[in-house]
Amino acid sequence: MAEKQKGTIGFEHKGIGQALAHNRFVVPLNQREYSWKDEHVTDLFQDFSNAIATNKATYFLGTIVLTTSEEGNPEVCDGQQRLATTTILLAAIRDYFYSRQDSKRVTSVENQFLLTIDRDTTETVARLQLNVDDNEFFRSYVVAQPDSVERLAAGATKDSHEKIVKATKLAAQHVQDIIKLHKEENKTAVLLDWVRFIEEGAQVILLRVPDDLDAFVMFETLNDRGLETSKADLLKNRLFKRAGSSKIKEAQQKWAHMKGVLESLGIEEITVTYLRHLLITEYGPTRDREVLDRVKREIDSQQKSIEFLDKLATSATDYAAILNPNHKKWNDYGESTRRHILTINQHLRVEQIRPLVFAVAKHFAVKEAKKAFRLFVCWSVRFLIVGGRGGLLDRNYAVVAEQVGSKKIKTAKELVKAMQDVVPPDATFEAAFAEARVSQNFLARYYLRALELKAKQDPEPELIPNEEQEVINLEHILPENPDGNWPDIDPEVASAHYKRLGNMALLKASQNSIIGNSSFADKRPLLKASGYVLTAETATDRNWGIKEITERQKRLAALAVQTWPISTT
């Protein structure tokens, strides 16, 4: 393969053992630690076993993404867990040969896969160097020989060290499992077959990119959730490099504090999203693929790095709060704010507005924030009904979020003014609502619950009780597939109008299961007896068809304008 040239992306397809044999891999100092649990390790070993048992010539392990370190070594952006676990297995095979006093094969495995000579310093170094927390322990406990001083003195002091210890024990047991069914004279040959398979058959694609920015953009383009941790590592490494060795402990403490707060949410891989949203509040619109580039351009000194890391640490609590209506932050805001947060996250499930919600939670006074959160619910409904115009809405929210972050906007009234040309006005919203078809039942249920509260003159109709789907259900009065009970309705017409809001009503779940595809004449008594005003009103019609659906939806649309107002007044 041609050598990698500056500014180009290169691909190499080879066995993972060959990759270890031909390179000296470096995991960036501040990249994540060894994190594979027992099941991950066992799965890899079992996959190797299955491939060998079925005589498969190759088994694809995936892509390993590399940049180049300042010293010219391949720096691992993604794939370190596979490299480390494969090294652990090779070391276990080496240890077996060591126990048999097979010194030549010990040397062969070590020199080919585990160790190499640094020509500049003449020191013996590991072919795989892990991060700052794990490297010394990995070298001593895994790479060093069983009876060496390093191995005997190695002590696990971190959770990642314990994972390495467990992986090493699993590898040693796996080696015993490999050979236990074979005769004594065949055991070495069987293990050598394994070494050859790891060397040539367990294949990876080495993807070499010019720098960390190219790697980040590539991860974003691939849109693989499994790469989110690698993206977070690239961002952390960039910030830590800017912090410098004199501030590294401070940087690590701030990053760890942020991670601890975010992990309390129980949401996987949220770090990059949080960091992007903080960047938006600080610097304005920032798309997913622009995050690392923004960090490199804006945070270009040690002082700026430490300041930004401090903001990451201190702002994480506010970010956690906007995703958790029960967060203690809302103790001073009242029950309405908790329910607005619940509505945004659970009933509407909107994410585009989150940077703006974050900025308000962080910077607004309590009185103004309470007004703003109600606006956010109303605006979100209007955009869901009218359409959010994709990336344009993201940008509009981001622009205003930055204005809140920079204190140019301090009140809910100023928010309304900033968004007045963006949020759908009453006439547009009412017209769109009158024609709306809603495919997601959770949204239709929310809309009808809120409209019901408005019909009953509730002062905060947008805040519906958090009742479960099993209690309140949707009744599609005209069923999706009408049968003989609806002789005057064409099936295609029914399909076109089935999900219109005018055709939907709230019923207790037990009632909904009873009436099913019954005729309208059979449904009317149950609809009339309903405690929901808007449901009972449907029973005033003697027939139910397209005309009735359209007229009812127009009435609901007029009510919707009042239910989700555009301003704070």
Side-chain angles (χ1 to χ4, degrees), residues 354-397:
R354 195 184 297 171
L356 182 53
V357 179
F358 178 33
V360 166
K362 184 179 177 185
H363 295 289
F364 267 28
V366 171
K367 181 180 178 181
E368 294 300 323
K370 292 169 66 174
K371 298 176 187 177
F373 293 140
R374 185 178 190 188
L375 284 174
F376 296 156
V377 171
C378 297
W379 293 353
S380 295
V381 170
R382 290 184 176 231
F383 283 122
L384 284 168
I385 293 295
V386 176
R389 291 170 284 180
L392 182 59
L393 179 58
D394 286 342
R395 180 172 180 81
N396 286 323
Y397 279 146

Side-chain angles (χ1 to χ4, degrees), residues 257-267 270 316-317 320-321 324 327:
H257 177 82
M258 173 203 73
K259 289 288 288 184
V261 173
L262 296 181
E263 286 172 0
S264 69
L265 291 169
I267 302 174
I270 197 174
T317 298
N324 177 11
H327 197 280

